[in-house]
Amino acid sequence: MIRVEAEGFLRGVLPGVSWAAGGSRLSAAASAKLTADTVRAARVPAGVHLVFTGPVSTVELTVSLGERTTVPAPTLAEAFVVRVPGRPSRQVPLPADGGVVRVPLPERDPDQVVRVYLPESAEVAVVGLAGDRRPEPVPKGPLWVVYGDSITQGWSVTEPGLAWPSRVADALGLDLVNLGFAGAARGELPTADAVAASGADAVALAWGTNAYTSLPTSAVRIAETMRLYLTVVREGLPEAPIVVVSPIVRPDGEDIPNRFGATLADLRAALEESVRRFAAVNGDGRVTLVPGRDLVPAGLLVDGIHPGDEGHRAFAEGVTAQVATGLGLDTVREGAGVA
């Protein structure tokens, strides 16, 4: 086997943040300022994966395990998932004690990109990578940082790589960092600082549902929180296009007030108005609002809140064009996409 440095093939973490056992999708400095639920969710390797190309037919991953994550997505198996465009995905179980994982790859054109997603049920560090032939690195596309809640994290998809941010990134050739935090993502300003310092070429924000009940707020406060969030991101990324997606439908919350008298419909309307006002007041034509109410039909929610695979597909289809337009991309890559 030909050994290579694994770190150079790892994607899905912010610049300057190293993924390791006990690691996080956020820096230690950001985590120190955040609530415990956000810190826990950041330890889930959502969207973290290895990417390579070349004539390699088998790779071996040397992995070490930390703790089982406290907020794993309930539908995801404890397995590495191999994804190649146009081929069925392949799962390779995670060893209980770590060690060497042998991953056979599907037959494919040597130029096709292979993505090996880390299991999202444990803190998994890939400390070694080898192939029967030398894996070749893949040039990075524009850096796209997405902040959101469990829907963005991919809480209810059947495999990593099927959440809406991964679908959009794959279609447009973007280098994705998924900052989706299950149970959290209520506009925490330390995460805005992290996004602002990322050097991202483009940003998407998709939060609001957890401001309805997880840590409820009012319509007035969510509007101001969004204004501040956009202010921080824009200060750090003055030219980056920002797509804001308001909360998707949640049948049990659309018409029922939370403890502060706000329905999810109220919060959505306030958030959307805040985005429009920010863009107008600042003359910022690079901020785009995507109203989320009708992005995902209620019938595609698996539990009344989270979309399943087809719901994530619908979500991605509803925002891909806006992300592409912001980056000046005219077309979806030929052969891109996931099943």
Side-chain angles (χ1 to χ4, degrees):
M1 301 293 280
I2 301 171
R3 300 193 178 281
V4 295
E5 194 68 38
E7 189 73 19
F9 295 84
L10 195 67
R11 300 286 177 83
V13 295
L14 290 169
V17 176
S18 178
W19 185 265
S24 171
R25 284 174 286 138
L26 290 169
S27 69
S31 296
K33 299 178 181 178
L34 288 163
T35 56
D37 55 358
T38 306
V39 173
R40 286 194 300 269
R43 292 165 63 182
V44 176
V48 180
H49 64 283
L50 296 157
V51 58
F52 53 88
T53 187
V56 58
S57 62
T58 301
V59 293
E60 288 183 351
L61 311 178
T62 304
V63 302
S64 64
L65 302 184
E67 299 177 0
R68 258 37 186 183
T69 55
T70 55
V71 283
T75 56
L76 299 182
E78 291 194 352
F80 294 87
V81 174
V82 182
R83 305 199 71 87
V84 175
R87 298 286 188 273
S89 63
R90 178 174 296 176
Q91 294 192 6
V92 179
L94 172 68
D97 299 319
V100 176
V101 183
R102 186 175 180 85
V103 181
L105 306 178
E107 292 186 9
R108 68 195 192 287
D109 187 305
D111 293 333
Q112 282 190 290
V113 172
V114 179
R115 300 183 187 274
V116 181
Y117 285 86
L118 274 60
E120 296 186 10
S121 56
E123 297 168 26
V124 182
V126 179
V127 297
L129 172 63
D132 58 342
R133 297 189 181 183
R134 182 176 296 276
E136 298 295 336
V138 176
K140 292 184 177 182
L143 177 59
W144 187 44
V145 177
V146 181
Y147 168 77
D149 49 33
S150 55
I151 296 169
T152 294
Q153 180 180 304
W155 180 256
S156 52
V157 294
T158 56
E159 291 182 351
L162 296 181
W164 72 266
S166 293
R167 291 178 180 274
V168 174
D170 188 67
L172 298 179
L174 307 181
D175 187 28
L176 167 68
V177 173
N178 184 329
L179 295 184
F181 305 123
R186 298 171 290 262
E188 303 91 344
L189 291 184
T191 66
D193 287 329
V195 174
S198 68
D201 296 292
V203 170
L205 310 176
W207 63 275
T209 294
N210 288 333
Y212 170 62
T213 53
S214 174
L215 189 63
T217 192
S218 68
V220 171
R221 182 165 180 174
I222 200 173
E224 180 62 5
T225 301
M226 177 55 81
R227 184 187 72 83
L228 295 175
Y229 205 101
L230 287 169
T231 299
V232 171
V233 173
R234 182 52 84 217
E235 285 177 348
L237 300 170
E239 301 298 328
I242 303 172
V243 172
V244 182
V245 187
S246 62
I248 64 172
V249 67
R250 178 172 172 170
D252 71 350
E254 294 297 327
D255 303 313
I256 300 174
N258 64 16
R259 65 181 298 189
F260 297 114
T263 65
L264 183 62
D266 295 333
L267 295 177
R268 182 186 298 113
L271 188 150
E272 291 176 356
E273 179 56 27
S274 180
V275 174
R276 295 189 187 99
R277 186 180 301 114
F278 179 91
V281 168
N282 294 284
D284 195 334
R286 307 216 74 188
V287 174
T288 302
L289 172 67
V290 178
R293 173 62 177 79
D294 297 322
L295 268 185
V296 179
L300 297 182
L301 305 177
V302 297
D303 57 4
I305 298 175
H306 301 93
D309 292 352
E310 289 306 309
H312 276 272
R313 185 194 302 277
F315 196 129
E317 290 174 351
V319 302
T320 297
Q322 288 85 349
V323 176
T325 298
L327 284 167
L329 303 174
D330 295 327
T331 59
V332 173
R333 293 183 303 151
E334 183 177 356
V338 291

